[in-house]
Amino acid sequence: MPSPEVLGPPGAEVLLLGNEAIARGALEAGLGFASAYPGTPSTEIVETLASVAKKLGIYVEWSTNEKVALEAAFAASASGVRALAAMKHVGLNVAADAFMSISYVGVRSGLLIVSAEDPSMWSSQNEQDNRFYGMMAYVPVFEPHSPAEAKEMAATALDFSEKLGTPILMTPTTRVSHTRGPVKLGQLRPRAPKGYFKKDPKRFTLIPAHARERRKAIIERWMRVKEAVNDLPFNRVEGSSRVVIVASGISYAYVREAVDRLGLDVAVAKVGTPVPLPARLVREAIAGAERVLVVEELEPVVEMQLKDLVASEGLDVEVHGKDYVGYEGEMTLDRAARAILEFMGKNPLETPWRAGNTVDLELPERPPAMCPGCPHRATYFALRKAVNSLSLKAVYSGDIGCYSLGVLPPFQEQDLILEMGGSIGAANGLARVAEGQVAIAIIGDSTFYHAGLPALANAVYNGNPLLVLVMDNRVTAMTGEQPNPSTGITAMGEKARWIPIEDVARGLGVEKVVVFDPYNLKEAFNALRDALKYVVDNKKPAVAVARRACSLYIDRIARRRGVETPLYAVVEDKCTACGICYNAFTCPAIMVKSDGKAWIDPDLCTGCGVCAQVCPFNAIVKVREGSPEWEKLWF
Amino acid sequence: MGRLSILAAGVGGQGIITLASTLARAAVASGTKALVAETHGLSQRGGSVEVHIRLGDVHAPLIAPGDADVLIGLELIEAARRVSHLRSGGLLLAADTILRPAVPGVRVPSREELVSAMRRAAGDAKVVVVPARELASKVGGLLFSNMVMLGALAGSGILEGFVGVEELERVIGTLRRREENLKAFRLGLDYCSTHCSSGRG
Ligand SMILES: Cc1ncc(C[n+]2csc(CCOP(=O)(O)OP(=O)(O)O)c2C)c(N)n1
């Protein structure tokens, strides 16, 4: 839930999450349209905008993927409405084709593209540095260092974008997007999402003849951008010294604190637009310097441009960066301090920050786990049994979502996880090539609509024998239960058409489609066995839909409305301490007592009742009926 | 004004983010700069979670190793995992709660093993184990442990000069189920007023 302070009065200083600050900044700069596909750490930007959309009269949507989100936001901008598209860093890969072309045609009203980066991969499959996308597409990159700056940048970016006719790429990292900090509010100026698309085919239709002209235009635009970034308040020099530390984005926060606390005699050049480098400003900062250290996360984007500047102007200054700072992972205070001290010829161990003792006791790991009541757990349990019952050798082609956690014991039913939609794509190849193995693609509902459809059409078209198992929990759960085409509501809370996955599968020509409720293990087992048998016997694709809403989503609604859920408990005398419920099913609500018998924590139990079906001794029973409203919450 | 760095750790779903943002809101209301860095990690519930809270004269969102003035653990294993983050002479407040990781065949250390290992590793830092589960159950369940621990933090006196108790109570009053949350906060505060002396020395 976004903080109510997002709509606070001008002049107030409030605590906002970085992503909320970006939303507020855009609203202060006349935003009328926002679209996004969720992805950590970007999600709260559009979640925040959606929560205030009706009140402010702007339009906000969850798009089916990042490419669609960006295309839609672009069209709003081309029609005269300031727009924002948000995504996580890898989302820009999905939107990259659109991103390149949008740079070519340019924008009319301000267009802000936010790609939230995730150094250290807290919730991502890679730590790519999207500032390179800015370089490749001639799109300026804004990189904030705090929630307060993120708000200012979002607002300034929309103005700058409109003034120079260029989209802007903003790249907050996890530590900006997911940090709460004080933010000074300005005037809200939302605007109605109404404009008009003035035709200009020479500019907006990228046939080769037009594209060649646009290529010239964007290089000219880039020259103007390169000059203009020098005057942005996000780039500045603090202090003067023969030693200069150039710090980009969030690294500035660490460098500033390290330099202050260590009392070092250095100048700090803060860079808020790493692409293009504010060359005039940086050149002034290093004019009298002998040595310069660039501190930035991930790739040497600023460092390369600075070295280029120094070489092309024949400056007599030594530039360092990655050789002291390193590439991997996010910046930290001690990492910045060690790099600076070493660079200055001091002992890097002189930092006051050193880890203390760790406990001399082996601590169990606590990997992320599927929630109590998670329908995915039940589906995995049934799938394993169905595969074994047919003595099949399965390759589980996995995907990205809460169900990725099926990679961990006890299930281990994810053999491959690449990128969103990759499960069905790769299963096409496995189905053709992997001999004696059956390809099972496992994908979530949101991911299915994001990038699964072309791959499923491919399977039908090419007749590739694979099972697509869609874990349809009716929401985009992993990123916080956003609605999607399988939910039946929009980002702004309006009723929408629910698109059932089985209808899509049949529409694409899949001849075998089964739908089951994973909370009924027997039904799930039979449906999966049936579909698998069909794939093996007929050498054709089949689709199985495991339909049961996300338990966390339902549980939250139940708690909020005070709806009583059913409750299960272990019958002491019947429990044999076999451990199946806590070792082979691993519901986090099931605890182990010192005698090895199970105990269900009533604070955690969601009442799904699957453990009662798992127990071979009928030792788990319902001890409280849920209220009748509880059944009605499930959709 | 100086600075105060508080590392809060526990298990997803225990309300650590609410604890941290309540504290930070109260800090801003008390005129203190606050930064709260959250790591959502992969799952909404059940994984190990840590939140970095920094108050006062700070820029960096993350606390450096050995630089935390306070470590608050809402769960004993998670507290024990992070003892090395504490500075010497710091304060460790750990809730007396153990949550079993949902891992097949996992061996969970006992409360006694965890507490004594923590004390050994903490050196000259002060270690206080707060009966958070018991106190929270007086107001309505485990759910309120986070406010008990926030109360304990306030009761330790270490927030003085950074965040006022009045401001804390005002912000807690805006939460859902305010009565229970306020009660939980006060139980923690009272507990620590008698059992913790300030770790700042
Ligand atoms: C290109 C891309 N966009 C967004 C994400 C972030 N993300 C991770 S999983 C996921 C969706 C999960 O939804 P669903 O497939 O319905 O599975 P669930 O989590 O509900 O089980 C998203 C959006 C990503 N990893 N890659």
Side-chain angles (χ1 to χ4, degrees), chain A residues 5 180 257 356 364 366 583, chain B residues 25 36 38 54 78 84 105:
Chain A
E5 285 96 332
R180 282 171 212 276
E257 184 162 332
R366 192 185 303 274
N583 283 333
Chain B
R25 278 207 173 92
V36 177
E38 309 169 354
R54 306 202 66 219
E78 297 309 317
S84 66

Side-chain angles (χ1 to χ4, degrees), chain A residues 379-453:
Chain A
T379 302
Y380 277 124
F381 195 84
L383 178 61
R384 160 67 46 83
K385 286 209 154 159
V387 167
N388 289 347
S389 77
L390 295 168
S391 307
L392 297 175
K393 279 196 205 133
V395 182
Y396 300 101
S397 186
D399 218 303
I400 306 210
C402 288
Y403 48 88
S404 300
L405 296 171
V407 70
L408 301 174
F411 300 110
Q412 294 169 297
E413 290 166 73
Q414 296 272 282
D415 297 320
L416 192 67
I417 300 177
L418 297 172
E419 90 303 347
M420 283 191 67
S423 58
I424 309 180
N428 274 283
L430 291 168
R432 280 283 158 194
V433 176
E435 259 192 327
Q437 293 175 305
V438 54
I440 303 178
I442 299 174
I443 188 167
D445 48 324
S446 188
T447 307
F448 180 76
Y449 284 109
H450 174 282
L453 297 182

Side-chain angles (χ1 to χ4, degrees), chain B residues 140-156:
Chain B
L142 197 56
L143 215 63
F144 299 99
S145 302
N146 59 345
M147 287 300 130
V148 171
M149 294 306 287
L150 182 57
L153 179 68
S156 76

Side-chain angles (χ1 to χ4, degrees), chain A residues 149-375:
Chain A
E149 189 178 52
K151 194 214 78 172
E152 297 306 323
M153 264 190 185
T156 303
L158 282 168
D159 289 339
F160 192 89
S161 160
E162 194 162 311
K163 201 162 117 205
L164 287 131
T166 176
I168 304 288
L169 179 64
M170 184 166 160
T171 57
T173 63
T174 298
R175 292 303 166 205
V176 173
S177 282
H178 282 174
T179 289
R180 282 171 212 276
V183 176
K184 187 93 177 242
L185 303 181
Q187 191 74 45
L188 278 176
R189 293 185 292 133
R191 62 155 283 184
K194 292 291 167 228
Y196 187 79
F197 182 77
K198 260 194 281 156
K199 298 184 186 184
D200 182 356
K202 277 218 160 80
R203 173 173 171 195
F204 286 109
T205 61
L206 287 178
I207 56 171
H210 297 164
R212 284 180 205 114
E213 290 305 312
R214 294 307 303 167
R215 168 95 170 123
K216 278 190 203 126
I218 66 169
I219 290 172
E220 279 166 27
R221 184 182 76 204
W222 194 241
M223 296 306 144
R224 291 196 299 278
V225 165
K226 274 175 122 171
E227 189 40 45
V229 292
N230 287 290
D231 299 322
L232 291 171
F234 317 117
N235 298 315
R236 61 171 184 265
V237 182
E238 297 168 352
S240 76
S241 164
R242 305 186 76 77
V243 180
V244 177
I245 313 294
V246 177
S248 185
I250 185 72
S251 296
Y252 166 76
Y254 293 107
V255 166
R256 186 71 267 164
E257 184 162 332
V259 166
D260 290 350
R261 288 177 68 181
L262 297 172
L264 301 175
D265 174 25
V266 298
V268 176
K270 174 194 173 312
V271 174
T273 62
V275 176
L277 184 72
R280 173 157 49 83
L281 189 103
V282 172
R283 201 189 179 301
E284 277 163 27
I286 64 172
E290 286 161 6
R291 306 183 75 226
V292 178
L293 177 71
V294 181
V295 182
E296 62 190 320
E297 290 179 324
L298 306 180
E299 313 310 320
V301 170
V302 168
E303 182 183 342
M304 286 189 322
Q305 294 177 81
L306 185 54
K307 283 179 170 164
D308 179 47
L309 177 78
V310 165
S312 59
E313 302 210 358
L315 303 177
D316 185 20
V317 58
E318 224 180 287
V319 179
H320 292 270
K322 289 292 148 190
D323 46 348
Y324 288 98
V325 177
Y327 289 80
E328 287 160 52
E330 68 177 331
M331 190 55 58
T332 58
L333 193 57
D334 48 316
R335 178 174 167 195
R338 270 186 277 114
I340 296 171
L341 288 173
E342 205 176 342
F343 165 74
M344 294 178 77
K346 299 180 190 239
N347 180 359
L349 296 179
E350 263 173 36
T351 73
W353 309 302
R354 213 146 321 120
N357 297 326
T358 48
V359 289
D360 52 3
L361 180 69
E362 203 179 318
L363 297 174
E365 300 275 318
R366 192 185 303 274
M370 290 180 260
C371 301
C374 178

Side-chain angles (χ1 to χ4, degrees), chain A residues 3-5 13-15 17 40 44 122-124 147 174-175 178-182 250 252-254 256-257 260-261 330-334 352-372 405 409-410 477-481 552 555-556 559-560 582-584 586-588 590-592 599 601 603-604 606, chain B residues 3 5 10-12 17 20-21 24-25 28 32-48 50 52 54 57-67 75-78 80-86 98-110 113-114 116-118 120-123 133 140-143 176:
Chain A
S3 345
E5 285 96 332
E13 187 174 68
V14 298
L15 189 78
L17 193 65
T40 314
E44 297 83 0
W122 293 105
S123 23
S124 305
T174 298
R175 292 303 166 205
H178 282 174
T179 289
R180 282 171 212 276
I250 185 72
Y252 166 76
Y254 293 107
R256 186 71 267 164
E257 184 162 332
D260 290 350
R261 288 177 68 181
E330 68 177 331
M331 190 55 58
T332 58
L333 193 57
D334 48 316
W353 309 302
R354 213 146 321 120
N357 297 326
T358 48
V359 289
D360 52 3
L361 180 69
E362 203 179 318
L363 297 174
E365 300 275 318
R366 192 185 303 274
M370 290 180 260
C371 301
L405 296 171
M478 177 159 251
T479 48
E481 301 127 19
L552 184 57
D555 204 48
R556 271 211 189 116
R559 276 173 202 269
R560 199 160 49 225
Y582 54 77
N583 283 333
T586 57
C587 174
I590 305 178
M591 307 287 164
V592 193
W599 175 75
D601 188 334
D603 279 330
L604 298 177
T606 62
Chain B
R3 63 185 76 77
S5 298
V11 178
I17 290 178
S21 61
R25 278 207 173 92
V28 172
T32 299
K33 180 175 178 183
L35 292 175
V36 177
E38 309 169 354
T39 300
H40 289 233
L42 265 182
S43 71
Q44 303 228 0
R45 276 189 189 173
S48 159
E50 68 178 46
H52 297 232
R54 306 202 66 219
D57 184 15
V58 296
H59 294 278
L62 291 182
I63 303 168
D67 200 32
E75 197 272 349
L76 282 173
I77 300 170
E78 297 309 317
R81 213 189 288 291
R82 292 171 179 83
V83 177
S84 66
H85 241 87
L86 208 53
I98 296 178
L99 295 177
R100 176 184 183 271
V103 172
V106 66
R107 194 195 95 78
V108 179
S110 71
E113 284 176 307
L114 284 163
S116 62
M118 238 159 33
R120 280 195 300 278
R133 192 185 257 265
L142 197 56
L143 215 63
R176 233 185 298 146

Side-chain angles (χ1 to χ4, degrees), chain B residues 37-197:
Chain B
E38 309 169 354
T39 300
H40 289 233
L42 265 182
S43 71
Q44 303 228 0
R45 276 189 189 173
S48 159
V49 173
E50 68 178 46
V51 179
H52 297 232
I53 306 157
R54 306 202 66 219
L55 306 175
D57 184 15
V58 296
H59 294 278
L62 291 182
I63 303 168
D67 200 32
D69 300 292
V70 185
L71 170 60
I72 295 192
L74 265 68
E75 197 272 349
L76 282 173
I77 300 170
E78 297 309 317
R81 213 189 288 291
R82 292 171 179 83
V83 177
S84 66
H85 241 87
L86 208 53
R87 71 166 166 82
S88 85
L91 170 66
L92 197 171
L93 291 176
D96 201 359
T97 302
I98 296 178
L99 295 177
R100 176 184 183 271
V103 172
V106 66
R107 194 195 95 78
V108 179
S110 71
R111 176 190 184 280
E112 289 64 35
E113 284 176 307
L114 284 163
V115 173
S116 62
M118 238 159 33
R119 285 191 198 284
R120 280 195 300 278
D124 60 358
K126 186 167 177 65
V127 178
V128 181
V129 180
V130 181
R133 192 185 257 265
E134 185 194 319
L135 294 174
S137 69
K138 287 191 193 168
V139 297
L142 197 56
L143 215 63
F144 299 99
S145 302
N146 59 345
M147 287 300 130
V148 171
M149 294 306 287
L150 182 57
L153 179 68
S156 76
I158 202 163
L159 295 177
E160 248 164 65
F162 292 93
V163 190
V165 171
E166 249 175 61
E167 281 80 3
L168 276 166
E169 295 198 332
R170 203 168 325 126
V171 177
I172 295 168
T174 66
L175 298 176
R176 233 185 298 146
R177 305 189 70 174
R178 56 169 299 200
E179 289 311 319
E180 289 101 323
N181 277 311
L182 273 172
K183 249 188 234 161
F185 174 79
R186 285 178 193 141
L187 284 173
L189 193 139
D190 289 345
Y191 181 85
C192 221
S193 305
T194 47
H195 293 82
C196 323
S197 61

